[in-house]
Amino acid sequence: DPARPREPRQTVLVTGGAGYVGCVVVPKLLEAGHVVVVYDRMLFGRAGLPAHPALRVVEADIRDTARFARAVDGAHSVIHLACISNDPSFELDPALGRSINFECFEPLVAACRSAGVRRFIYASTSSVYGLSDAPEVTEEHPLAPLTDYSRYKALCESILLGFRSPDFTTVVLRPATVCGDSPRMRFDLTVNILTNHAVTHRLITVFGGSQRRPNIHIDDLAELYGQLLEFPDDLVAGEVFNAGYQNRTVADLAQMVRRVVEREMPETAPIRIETRPTDDLRSYHVASQKIAQRLGFVPRRTIEDAIRDLCRAFKAGRFPDSLTDDRYMNVKTVKRLSSSLRMEPARS
């Protein structure tokens, strides 16, 4: 893109770089020629990260501010992905979630600015909008988070934007629900859940169905994080961007999954869809015109592409015990490890 001049090779620290999104972001950063530092507690292991001479991995807790300050020394940019991710995982232990997602955030940002980091990109969430009947939820829409997870995301946005200065560029990204294949796979995200059940059980259970959810392919999101390192400061400094693509009801997603899986994996029984009631009322239609107009970012991959990618991975045998193994479900892993996580990290 001629409007986006190439940044010289830079050192980028990615918190949560061994997570679902991080394991797709990191190889793309390395491919672009950057030196990458992954700072991650490794709750799900590090097997999803590539072996690469320009990759350094720091296994540590983001609440250990002294350790983080040493790790970020010399970094040009930070992409902050690390958090207790999704509402059920957060609600298992709200105090733990608060300590990781919120209480350590301001010290972490301050350490970045003190270390001379030039750009800080924060992964927020489109769920900060809560429940909205607006036909298009833009970045100016009032925030009405329904859960502590999204409330603390919104509070961190405000903290970060307060740190903005001429030599410290802050950018907030509010991604839609991510879908698609990753070396560190998650089957607790809407499209991924539906695909897993369609492939494994030939049965999709839809809870509710009328809720509208925005979606984005994991490869598009990962590429966007890399692009956000390169834009001139005046285009992104202090800005908030939605990043979504296809807004669909959960019922529509189920039909889409059924069509693609039956086409890609037709060797077993037809797929049935059952609908049940739900208390999860989150529904919103996220508009992503700002990021398209300001930065020229338009996703290139569809939900169907994500489903096809997952089908290929299933056919390759990549997801053994996909419905039962804790490693695919954040809430199960956090529950299993919560007692050790609850302990105050050693200051080092």
Side-chain angles (χ1 to χ4, degrees):
D1 183 348
R4 191 173 66 249
R6 287 291 305 176
E7 277 282 337
R9 176 182 172 98
Q10 55 177 270
T11 298
V12 185
L13 185 143
V14 184
T15 70
Y20 172 63
V21 173
C23 276
V24 181
V25 171
V26 168
K28 291 182 185 294
L29 296 178
L30 293 167
E31 189 179 326
H34 300 304
V35 175
V36 180
V37 180
V38 166
Y39 190 98
D40 196 300
R41 181 70 184 263
M42 302 296 163
L43 296 186
F44 299 88
R46 54 186 289 174
L49 292 172
H52 196 285
L55 173 64
R56 179 163 69 94
V57 178
V58 179
E59 184 171 346
D61 195 303
I62 56 172
R63 294 171 294 178
D64 186 343
T65 307
R67 181 82 182 274
F68 178 81
R70 291 200 298 276
V72 80
D73 187 43
H76 179 281
S77 303
V78 169
I79 301 172
H80 184 48
L81 305 176
C83 65
I84 297 291
S85 182
N86 80 11
D87 296 320
S89 299
F90 195 101
E91 288 159 10
L92 273 179
D93 191 332
L96 172 68
R98 178 186 169 95
S99 73
I100 292 172
N101 288 18
F102 177 65
E103 289 171 352
C104 69
F105 183 73
E106 188 163 357
L108 181 147
V109 176
C112 290
R113 193 169 68 175
S114 296
V117 168
R118 300 284 304 173
R119 183 165 299 189
F120 191 107
I121 300 163
Y122 177 54
S124 185
T125 170
S126 60
S127 66
V128 293
Y129 298 117
L131 179 65
S132 176
D133 293 327
E136 295 285 324
V137 175
T138 68
E139 291 81 356
E140 287 72 41
H141 190 283
L143 303 189
L146 297 175
T147 64
D148 281 346
Y149 167 73
S150 48
R151 184 165 68 90
Y152 288 126
K153 285 286 191 181
L155 289 170
C156 287
E157 289 185 13
S158 298
I159 289 169
L160 178 64
L161 296 174
F163 272 83
R164 178 191 171 193
S165 69
D167 57 358
F168 188 63
T169 297
T170 60
V171 190
V172 171
L173 196 66
R174 293 176 182 158
T177 302
V178 190
C179 56
D181 186 17
S182 166
R184 196 254 108 175
M185 192 56 204
R186 282 181 64 180
F187 283 119
D188 53 3
L189 297 160
T190 307
V191 170
N192 298 357
I193 295 170
L194 298 175
T195 305
N196 189 13
H197 282 262
V199 170
T200 309
H201 278 335
R202 311 302 282 189
L203 171 66
I204 301 172
T205 303
V206 173
F207 293 92
S210 62
Q211 314 97 304
R212 293 178 301 172
R213 295 289 168 78
N215 301 270
I216 189 167
H217 193 291
I218 191 167
D219 285 319
D220 281 320
L221 180 60
E223 287 170 8
L224 174 57
Y225 281 116
Q227 291 168 19
L228 285 171
L229 300 173
E230 301 174 7
F231 290 108
D233 290 347
D234 59 349
L235 280 182
V236 297
E239 294 292 343
V240 177
F241 295 104
N242 289 340
Y245 183 31
Q246 294 168 290
N247 289 273
R248 294 288 187 270
T249 67
V250 176
D252 288 343
L253 293 174
Q255 294 289 350
M256 199 180 295
V257 167
R258 176 163 66 180
R259 283 195 305 273
V260 175
V261 175
E262 286 186 340
R263 189 165 60 242
E264 296 291 319
M265 303 178 75
E267 58 278 0
T268 54
I271 296 166
R272 293 185 299 115
I273 297 176
E274 290 184 356
T275 303
R276 297 181 184 174
T278 183
D279 293 329
D280 187 351
L281 302 175
R282 288 173 301 144
S283 183
Y284 38 90
H285 190 287
V286 167
S288 298
Q289 287 94 329
K290 177 181 174 180
I291 199 167
Q293 292 165 0
R294 178 76 62 92
L295 305 181
F297 174 77
V298 179
R300 297 186 293 121
R301 302 165 182 91
T302 64
I303 297 168
E304 290 93 336
D305 290 330
I307 300 165
R308 276 190 289 272
D309 293 344
L310 291 173
C311 287
R312 277 194 288 271
F314 270 109
K315 285 190 277 192
R318 286 243 333 272
F319 307 131
D321 305 314
S322 62
L323 288 172
T324 56
D325 194 317
D326 288 1
R327 65 180 157 155
Y328 303 120
M329 304 288 290
N330 282 10
V331 68
K332 290 182 179 179
T333 299
V334 171
K335 186 174 184 178
R336 179 165 50 83
L337 299 175
S338 62
S339 58
S340 61
L341 282 170
R342 215 174 288 127
M343 295 166 57
E344 185 72 11
R347 300 297 165 187
S348 51

